[in-house]
Each structure stands twice: as structure tokens, then as C-alpha cells.
Amino acid sequence: MKPQAILLPAGLLAIALTYAKTTGGAAWKKQVVTKDFLTEGLSVGDLDGDGKKDLVAGAFWFKGPDFKEAKPYRPGSAKSIEGYMEDSFLSWVDDLNGDGKNDILMASHPGKDLTLYLNPGKEGEWTAHRVMTEAAHESPLWVDLDGDGKKEVVCMQGGKFGYAEVDWSDVTKPWTFIAVSEKRTDTPYVHGLGAGDLSGDGKMDIVEKDGWFEQPAEKGGTWTWHQEKFAGPGGSQMLVFDVDKDGDNDLVTSLNGHGYGLFWCENHRSDGKVAFTPHEILPEDPAKTGPDGLQFSQLHAMDAGDFDKDGRIDFITGKRFWAHMGHDPGERDPALAVIFYNRKDGNGVRWEPEVIDNDSGVGCQVLAVDLDGDGKLEFAAGSKKGVHIIRR
């Protein structure tokens, strides 16, 4: 079946511009690419080779830089928000087969398929290759885990944490999953996952809500487990970066992707040992508030970047609107989009939030990305609120 433009619901290409009043009184401009529910996540990359970044949302990619034109690359359509977009939870844009054209890697419902769509360089349906039949976890990652210049998918399979390697001689072959843990669970719906160097040895480690796996010195060795209660039920993407600029990587995580709570965990590394001190940003108790009286639930997606260009890494998150169709705490509260600015506070850190929109939020994936090449980061998200770009 070839994808056709008639799959697009009426009004899909309508672009709306609104202005979000922030807590600081400044205005952010929101571009509503579509209000239709096309995807639970969003990715960005140049798909037509014109040097401009495009947006991928479910079965469509929106041509940059204005994102007014939606192009189908596979069968699919908008759906009611009273269900899930089963075939589009997260995605990534990358040139996997090395032909100079960016492809699309799509993760479906947690625990189900991971599909590679190879870019044919022309209009029409892209060939789909199911490279994994089980890519479990709520927030799988596409990252160069071993530093060889090639990326892997960090996820779960058979209840084990690990990563899937690509056969780079033929990227369409089934990918090989390598476990780094024993079986931990019988559910694919595990929350909280990240990757970054926590030990300071220059190698990426894998972090999850209950601790972290230290990458061995040699490929094929045993990953060392370090138990650490980072987050109770677990949240979303766990961000690993040097929060306090003391030379080691810290951690930022939501506590519950379908509840409340946001923390950063300070890395104290000495004599080859790593320990963490948790610091509250937003309380887990919904009756309490954080800085500027802020509190919201469903922090199911996060990304990091320097939004104010002060040399300190900030992060973004927001409410995942209607995640479980109205059955989560605070589900009917405004769908906030929020930047947390990283401020030096003596020898510590103070997080300064800025609510940049109250009717967009996040899905399972949010991006801090420079879409137009002006050197400033935008907030881009795809969710049950549609596809939104928020910029100054």
C-alpha cells in the first residue's frame, strides 16, 4: 500500500502561531505544526538533502524550515487521543547505510518492533525493515555507547538491560541484542534510562532508575552493577552531564513519568568510587511546590542543552498530556512546556524554571534543537497535543 496525501486529516497543514507568556514575563513564539495526534515522540534531521532540518512525526515528515508541507513516507494517519499511536513512540534520524541520505529509525509501542525506514531519495513509500522484534523500555536511546563512531540502541529485551548492535555490512539484517544484566522484570514498560560516563574513565555507562551499569575496560567484558536508588517508579530520559561544572558527570531525572517529582543527583567521585547526593528540584508530593511555586505531573520526556548560552547546560521537560487517557495524577492540568535554567549558586546549583507554554507539553520524546541554524535552541515536541515548536 502506497502512502497517499488523502491520509492527512483536514487542517493538518495549518500553521498557527501563538505567544506563550512565561514566568519571567518574556514572550516565546509557538508554532503549531499540527494539532492532530500523529506520534508519541518526535525526531529531527535533513531528509531531502537541502541542508534544512525536517521534522518526523509518525508516518509523516514535515519539510523544513517552515514545516508547512507534510510528506508521507509510509502508511499511517492521525488517531484519536483515546488510545496510543502504537507504531510511533520514539524516532531518530540518521544515515544508517552510509549512502549520504538520512534514514528514519522508529520505535513502536514499548516491547514491540524497532523499524528502519531507508531513504530512497525520492517521493513515495520508504522500504520498512524490522530490525528488532522487541525493543522494550519506555525511553530507549540511540547513542554511540562504545565510542567507535557507530550508534547502538540501548533498551531492554527479555527483561534484561542491554544494547542492540547493528551489522554495518547490512543494516537491514536483524540487530543483535547484548545483555548487560540478568533478567530484572517481566514487563516492557520500565521507566527511566540514560547513558553517560559516570565513572570518569571516558566510557559511557548505562543508567536506570535503580542504579547504573559501568562499562568494562574491554569490549565483551562484564558490566559492573552499582545499585543506586535514583528514582522510584522511574521517569523518562535520564540526563547525564556535568551539572555543577566540577569535572564529573551528574544526573537529572524525573521520579515518576506518570506522577510527580524531579531531582538532580550530584556525583561525588573520589579514589575510584562514585557516590551520589540527591537534590530536589520539584517535590514528589503533589501538594508541595518547587521554585517559583511550580508543580506539574507526567514528566515523561527530557532533553538537555544550553538555552541561554551561558556555558551551563540547562534541560527541558513538560507534561505528557493524556498519557493514559485521563487516568494519571494531574492529567487535566495544563500541558506545560518548561525550561530549567542551570544557575550557579555559591558552590552549588539553583534551577530557575521558565514556563514557555501551557498548552503543548511533551510526549515520550522532546528535543532541545537548533532547527533554523541561528545558534539558538528550540523546544520541539510531538504528542497527543500535536506537533509543536517553541522558540524566541
Side-chain angles (χ1 to χ4, degrees):
M1 176 182 179
K2 293 183 177 181
Q4 299 179 11
I6 59 173
L7 294 173
L8 296 171
L12 178 65
L13 300 183
I15 302 294
L17 296 179
T18 61
Y19 287 87
K21 200 68 175 178
T22 69
T23 54
W28 286 75
K29 183 171 63 175
K30 178 172 69 172
Q31 178 178 349
V32 182
V33 177
T34 176
K35 291 184 178 180
D36 293 296
F37 175 35
L38 300 179
T39 183
E40 306 275 0
L42 184 76
S43 56
V44 168
D46 179 11
L47 295 174
D48 55 3
D50 66 352
K52 306 294 184 182
K53 292 185 177 73
D54 310 302
L55 298 177
V56 176
F60 305 93
W61 63 274
F62 291 81
K63 181 175 173 57
D66 57 11
F67 312 108
K68 292 181 179 180
E69 184 179 4
K71 295 178 176 289
Y73 67 93
R74 62 170 173 85
S77 62
K79 288 187 177 181
S80 164
I81 66 170
E82 299 304 326
Y84 300 109
M85 188 60 69
E86 297 280 350
D87 59 2
S88 180
F89 266 66
L90 298 97
S91 63
W92 303 270
V93 174
D94 212 339
D95 179 9
L96 274 85
N97 61 0
D99 66 353
K101 299 186 294 291
N102 279 325
D103 311 303
I104 298 171
L105 186 62
M106 184 75 65
S108 60
H109 193 276
K112 297 185 179 180
D113 297 352
L114 184 73
T115 305
L116 171 62
Y117 296 91
L118 290 179
N119 188 343
K122 59 183 179 181
E123 299 284 337
E125 186 171 346
W126 297 20
T127 303
H129 303 273
R130 187 171 66 171
V131 293
M132 292 183 71
T133 57
E134 182 192 359
H137 203 283
E138 294 271 344
S139 305
L141 307 169
W142 175 239
V143 63
D144 180 7
L145 194 63
D146 55 12
D148 66 352
K150 301 286 188 179
K151 293 182 180 179
E152 292 81 28
V153 171
V154 181
C155 61
M156 300 183 74
Q157 196 171 97
K160 301 176 181 180
F161 282 92
Y163 58 96
E165 287 190 325
V166 184
D167 182 346
W168 294 103
S169 67
D170 184 354
V171 296
T172 66
K173 289 182 178 179
W175 296 2
T176 302
F177 182 80
I178 299 171
V180 303
S181 77
E182 300 297 323
K183 184 174 180 179
R184 301 277 294 275
T185 182
D186 289 317
T187 177
Y189 308 116
V190 179
H191 290 68
L193 189 64
D197 180 14
L198 293 177
S199 64
D201 63 356
K203 294 181 176 294
M204 274 203 172
D205 308 305
I206 296 174
V207 60
E208 56 108 340
K209 64 186 180 66
D210 294 317
W212 57 287
F213 302 93
E214 185 176 354
Q215 186 168 168
E218 300 295 333
K219 189 175 177 64
T222 301
W223 290 62
T224 302
W225 169 245
H226 302 273
Q227 189 166 347
E228 192 82 36
K229 199 67 174 177
F230 289 121
S236 58
Q237 291 81 9
M238 302 175 76
L239 307 177
V240 179
F241 61 92
D242 187 0
V243 169
D244 51 10
K245 297 182 72 66
D246 66 351
D248 54 29
N249 281 327
D250 310 293
L251 180 73
V252 178
T253 182
S254 58
L255 300 188
N256 186 344
H258 298 287
Y260 294 85
L262 177 65
F263 271 63
W264 79 277
C265 300
E266 184 179 359
N267 187 338
H268 298 284
R269 193 173 65 228
S270 62
D271 299 326
K273 295 181 180 180
V274 178
F276 292 90
T277 300
H279 301 276
E280 180 185 283
I281 304 173
L282 294 178
E284 192 171 12
D285 184 347
K288 298 179 180 179
T289 61
D292 294 335
L294 182 66
Q295 179 64 297
F296 62 100
S297 64
Q298 318 295 313
L299 288 74
H300 207 291
M302 300 175 68
D303 200 10
D306 185 1
F307 272 80
D308 54 4
K309 303 181 74 171
D310 66 348
R312 301 176 71 89
I313 302 300
D314 315 305
F315 71 91
I316 57 173
T317 185
K319 172 190 283 295
R320 183 182 172 192
F321 171 72
W322 220 241
H324 291 148
M325 286 67 78
H327 299 291
D328 291 312
E331 188 68 276
R332 288 168 174 78
D333 294 342
L336 302 183
V338 186
I339 300 173
F340 285 86
Y341 296 101
N342 180 346
R343 306 301 190 203
K344 181 175 173 56
D345 186 13
N347 292 325
V349 169
R350 173 176 57 86
W351 294 102
E352 181 181 304
E354 183 175 18
V355 177
I356 62 173
D357 189 63
N358 62 8
D359 190 30
S360 55
V362 301
C364 295
Q365 199 173 21
V366 64
L367 301 177
V369 59
D370 180 4
L371 285 171
D372 51 17
D374 66 352
K376 296 184 292 186
L377 295 177
E378 284 82 44
F379 182 115
S383 70
K384 288 179 176 176
K385 282 284 186 179
V387 176
H388 302 87
I389 302 165
I390 307 172
R391 56 166 67 90
R392 283 200 185 277

